[in-house]
Amino acid sequence: MHNEQSAPSPEKKPRRRSWFGPGLLISASFIGPGTVTTATVAGACFGFALAWAVVFSILATIILQEMSARLGVMTNKGLAEIMRETFTHPLSKTFMIVLVVAAIGVGGASYAGGDTTGTALAIDQLIPLPMPVLAAIVGGILLLLLLTGSYKVVERVMTVLVIIMALVFFLTVIVVRPDFGAFLSGVFAPSLPAGSALTAIALIGTTVVPYNVFLHSSLVQEKWGHEPDREQSLKEAKVDNAVSISIGGLITLAVLATSAGTLFVHGVSAQSAADMATQLEPLLGPAAHWVFVVGLFAAGLTSALAGPLGAAYAICGIVGWKADMSSWPFRLIALGVVVIGIIIAVTGVNPVTVIVVAQAANGLILPIIAGFLLYTMNKARALGTHRNGVVANILGFVTLLVVTGLAIYQLADLFIG
């Protein structure tokens, strides 16, 4: 930031541009056991009929996360920090702080519990140990990764895990060769077969995740926050966001396609990990079960790591603490969420129940967070000319309307049945 004319130090030499990073972490966060299970069930029960729900969820995620990334790059602050500056009235600020701390904290803990349990279930297929022991092992891995305080370490670990999951299902789609016409029909001719409404909501709810909006605006600072050319950084962040999240969506569609092309056409229901593993048999034969377990473990670990990070960034930013992976307030919050997740996992609570509760909480919180984001992207003075334009506002408002409608439907189903 200084203007001295001295020769640049080695640290100030232009770096080689990198177009990927935070977006892959966002993709990694929503490709968890819940997404794999939900997409498999959707394909097994309804074929390609709900492919449109996956496509919509990816478009909605790209729209919301682009706003979050743009905010982080251009202000060098996270969404929670900007919200704290934007909402200055004592009543609105208090409400916002309570909501973010409670909702994101609880949501992050719920997801951590569900993902820790899902990851432990994957290990259980290989190592026959008691579930509390397996959950503790998973929790220990998460704690070690968080204690490194290094964005680069976390990014590399999560990227490798996503690549493993992607390769498995992409190769399977090639071998299975599902009906491409049925796929296109499912994408461009939206329908809701009898009994599919809640599954469609679940497909969207597992992808458009509230804490990711906070997570992304902070992660772009870890990646590009020290770059002097913010316009170039913004271009990189936008490409990273669109491409990485699209890759995540393709993975989800690949899971749905392999399930529709194998389980659905043979009338096989997906009720267990063993059932889901059968979708890989065309590619891997008897080894399908083991490879699926590895993929489920990769998906679970990435999601279980993202929840605590998102909660820590949101809570630190909203209360005014340093939102940095190396700071101890950040680490303590993230570690606290992991510990709560471990407790949920080891107490013997039905893992399906935990995942369903997490998704339900996600669906109810999302409209509020999306509304906060839209308001902030129009009011934040620090954004200047990079505030939302007409197109961004229209896309954001349509997304907000849809997720609000889904939340209302979810509440009605909960209380009316």
Side-chain angles (χ1 to χ4, degrees):
M1 297 298 178
H2 298 289
N3 295 319
E4 291 94 323
Q5 300 301 315
S6 57
S9 63
E11 291 77 20
K12 293 182 180 179
K13 288 182 179 179
R15 65 171 173 81
R16 182 169 56 87
R17 290 294 176 182
S18 170
W19 296 92
F20 296 101
L24 282 177
L25 271 69
I26 300 301
S27 290
S29 73
F30 66 70
I31 306 171
T35 299
V36 175
T37 301
T38 303
T40 301
V41 170
C45 296
F46 307 107
F48 287 105
L50 299 181
W52 63 268
V54 178
V55 174
F56 168 79
S57 69
I58 293 304
L59 293 176
T61 301
I62 289 174
I63 290 167
L64 295 178
Q65 298 301 148
E66 186 278 333
M67 294 184 197
S68 175
R70 178 162 29 107
L71 182 75
V73 170
M74 300 313 298
T75 68
N76 213 24
K77 295 180 181 179
L79 172 60
E81 296 171 88
I82 294 294
M83 285 170 60
R84 182 181 174 84
E85 296 175 1
T86 303
F87 293 88
T88 56
H89 190 280
L91 185 60
S92 63
K93 178 174 283 190
T94 300
F95 171 74
M96 179 189 60
I97 291 174
V98 171
L99 176 70
V100 170
V101 172
I104 299 299
V106 171
S110 297
Y111 265 96
D115 291 329
T116 300
T117 303
T119 311
L121 283 173
I123 301 176
D124 183 55
Q125 304 296 313
L126 300 176
I127 307 173
L129 291 175
M131 185 57 63
V133 175
L134 295 175
I137 292 173
V138 174
I141 295 173
L142 295 173
L143 292 174
L144 288 174
L145 286 171
L146 290 171
L147 283 172
T148 65
S150 171
Y151 165 77
K152 288 185 178 179
V153 170
V154 172
E155 179 188 69
R156 288 168 183 168
V157 169
M158 294 180 79
T159 299
V160 168
L161 293 174
V162 170
I163 289 172
I164 291 172
M165 194 69 181
L167 286 175
V168 167
F169 283 103
F170 287 165
L171 290 174
T172 306
V173 168
I174 293 173
V175 173
V176 171
R177 291 191 295 180
D179 187 341
F180 189 65
F183 167 75
L184 291 178
S185 177
V187 172
F188 296 106
S191 64
L192 277 176
S196 67
L198 289 179
T199 304
I201 292 174
L203 282 172
I204 296 171
T206 59
T207 305
V208 193
V209 184
Y211 59 69
N212 277 347
V213 178
F214 292 93
L215 182 59
H216 206 164
S217 61
S218 297
L219 288 180
V220 293
Q221 296 172 55
E222 300 276 3
K223 184 76 172 182
W224 291 291
H226 302 292
E227 292 299 314
D229 189 347
R230 290 191 180 183
E231 294 293 340
Q232 176 63 26
S233 295
L234 181 59
K235 291 179 183 178
E236 294 183 18
K238 287 185 174 184
V239 172
D240 169 48
N241 175 66
V243 175
S244 297
I245 292 175
S246 295
I247 290 172
L250 288 174
I251 294 174
T252 304
L253 283 173
V255 175
L256 186 147
T258 51
S259 180
T262 54
L263 302 181
F264 180 73
V265 297
H266 294 103
V268 179
S269 62
Q271 298 177 349
S272 68
D275 293 333
M276 288 187 277
T278 61
Q279 62 189 299
L280 301 181
E281 289 181 355
L283 173 64
L284 303 169
H289 175 77
W290 303 99
V291 174
F292 181 82
V293 166
V294 172
L296 193 61
F297 172 82
L301 194 62
T302 55
S303 255
L305 185 58
L309 287 175
Y313 276 121
I315 293 173
C316 283
I318 209 70
V319 300
W321 296 336
K322 185 179 181 182
D324 187 300
M325 287 180 67
S326 62
S327 72
W328 276 107
F330 181 99
R331 291 187 187 184
L332 289 175
I333 293 172
L335 295 178
V337 172
V338 171
V339 170
I340 294 173
I342 294 173
I343 293 172
I344 292 173
V346 302
T347 50
V349 179
N350 187 324
V352 175
T353 301
V354 174
I355 292 173
V356 168
V357 169
Q359 291 176 357
N362 168 55
L364 296 177
I365 295 166
L366 181 59
I368 300 173
I369 300 303
F372 273 143
L373 177 63
L374 271 174
Y375 181 86
T376 302
M377 292 303 294
N378 282 279
K379 295 295 182 180
R381 283 173 288 187
L383 280 169
T385 58
H386 290 280
R387 294 183 189 180
N388 271 6
V390 175
V391 174
N393 277 328
I394 291 174
L395 293 175
F397 187 68
V398 170
T399 301
L400 177 60
L401 284 179
V402 173
V403 297
T404 301
L406 293 176
I408 293 172
Y409 183 96
Q410 188 174 329
L411 282 172
D413 182 75
L414 179 65
F415 291 107
I416 299 176

